[in-house]
Amino acid sequence: AQSVAQPEDQVNVAEGNPLTVKCTYSVSGNPYLFWYVQYPNRGLQFLLKYITGDNLVKGSYGFEAEFNKSQTSFHLKKPSALVSDSALYFCAVSSTGAGSYQLTFGKGTKLSVIP
Amino acid sequence: GAGVSQSPSNKVTEKGKDVELRCDPISGHTALYWYRQSLGQGLEFLIYFQGNSAPDKSGLPSDRFSAERTGGSVSTLTIQRTQQEDSAVYLCASSSLAGAPDTQYFGPGTRLTVL
């Protein structure tokens, strides 16, 4: 079975500071990793994904994530946080093989960027 | 282009009543997914449709839940004899290709409240 852990329920960061939202995963086979963001009363918006290739993935709104196979992590990062980045962030994983369409999500991390 | 749409956006019902939730995927997307997001929880996979293939219903929590997809496009999720624990946000997603690593695009969700 595959799983995702987002160890922090909430992350607070000052505007202009770098931010990191942590994610670790467990799958059998090669992982496909995704980050989504959810604003209040909205659906999930796709930010970025890792399939293969470069470990550093760049996505929407200046976000990036680094795939670390040895640590089974896929942390989301941004060099300079904006107040508008405040939202709920979800990490998700799927893998090769049967049922590969089934995304498993973490419980989410609430990011608050303080002006 | 138009994204995934869902209706209604909010539904309040009484315990024991049946409800129908609708999802209109992105035009041309062959894969459609339903998820449930409960307060403080991540997203829980419910059901997956791909073209004319038999759906994967493995995530449906009970036989009170069912879904259909007509003409390979619009999907309806039906919950019979609703219970208070069914209260959640129901999210629909679609993707252009079956399976990982294709990106799933989400609708805004239907917030279901069972009184």
Side-chain angles (χ1 to χ4, degrees), chain A residues 32 34 36 38 41-46 49-51 88 90 94-96 99-108, chain B residues 33 35 37 40-45 48 56 58-59 89 91 98-109 111:
Chain A
Y32 300 130
F34 301 78
Y36 285 85
Q38 185 177 36
N41 300 313
R42 303 281 295 276
L44 274 68
Q45 295 181 31
F46 170 73
K49 67 181 178 184
Y50 170 81
I51 305 302
L88 189 57
F90 289 96
S94 63
S95 65
T96 55
S100 61
Y101 48 80
Q102 195 171 122
L103 282 178
T104 298
F105 285 84
K107 292 188 176 182
Chain B
Y33 317 75
Y35 294 86
Q37 183 178 21
Q41 301 294 316
L43 275 74
E44 173 190 11
F45 167 80
Y48 162 73
D56 175 359
S58 61
V89 176
L91 292 165
D102 199 49
T103 300
Q104 297 179 25
Y105 293 91
F106 285 79
R111 182 176 298 277

Side-chain angles (χ1 to χ4, degrees), chain A residues 7-18:
Chain A
E8 301 156 317
D9 291 337
Q10 173 135 9
V11 170
N12 297 321
V13 63
E15 185 178 23
N17 282 3

Side-chain angles (χ1 to χ4, degrees), chain A residues 6-88:
Chain A
Q6 293 182 242
E8 301 156 317
D9 291 337
Q10 173 135 9
V11 170
N12 297 321
V13 63
E15 185 178 23
N17 282 3
L19 69 86
T20 299
V21 182
K22 296 180 180 177
C23 170
T24 59
Y25 66 90
S26 174
V27 294
S28 54
N30 293 320
Y32 300 130
L33 294 153
F34 301 78
W35 275 102
Y36 285 85
V37 59
Q38 185 177 36
Y39 297 98
N41 300 313
R42 303 281 295 276
L44 274 68
Q45 295 181 31
F46 170 73
L47 278 179
L48 51 81
K49 67 181 178 184
Y50 170 81
I51 305 302
T52 187
D54 287 343
N55 290 340
L56 185 64
V57 179
K58 293 187 182 297
S60 305
Y61 312 120
F63 284 93
E64 60 188 28
E66 185 167 11
F67 171 64
N68 188 316
K69 187 174 183 177
S70 63
Q71 297 184 3
T72 61
S73 68
F74 190 57
H75 301 331
L76 181 70
K77 299 182 180 185
K78 187 173 182 181
S80 178
L82 300 173
V83 173
S84 57
D85 293 329
S86 299
L88 189 57

Side-chain angles (χ1 to χ4, degrees), chain B residues 10-111:
Chain B
N10 281 283
K11 177 71 176 179
V12 180
T13 190
E14 293 179 349
K15 178 181 173 181
K17 295 286 181 69
D18 298 351
V19 295
E20 286 189 351
L21 312 180
R22 176 189 168 105
C23 172
D24 213 328
I26 292 172
S27 178
H29 279 193
T30 58
L32 187 147
Y33 317 75
W34 283 97
Y35 294 86
R36 179 168 69 175
Q37 183 178 21
S38 302
L39 188 63
Q41 301 294 316
L43 275 74
E44 173 190 11
F45 167 80
L46 296 178
I47 190 168
Y48 162 73
F49 294 92
Q50 168 52 28
N52 295 321
S53 302
D56 175 359
K57 304 178 182 180
S58 61
L60 294 179
S62 78
D63 58 7
R64 295 186 296 103
F65 287 73
S66 63
E68 63 178 20
R69 188 179 185 192
T70 53
S73 181
V74 172
S75 176
T76 302
L77 177 69
T78 300
I79 309 173
Q80 295 179 309
R81 305 181 302 282
T82 51
Q83 303 295 312
Q84 288 183 333
E85 61 262 28
D86 299 334
S87 296
V89 176
Y90 289 83
L91 292 165
C92 175
S94 68
S95 65
S96 58
L97 298 174
D102 199 49
T103 300
Q104 297 179 25
Y105 293 91
F106 285 79
T110 293
R111 182 176 298 277

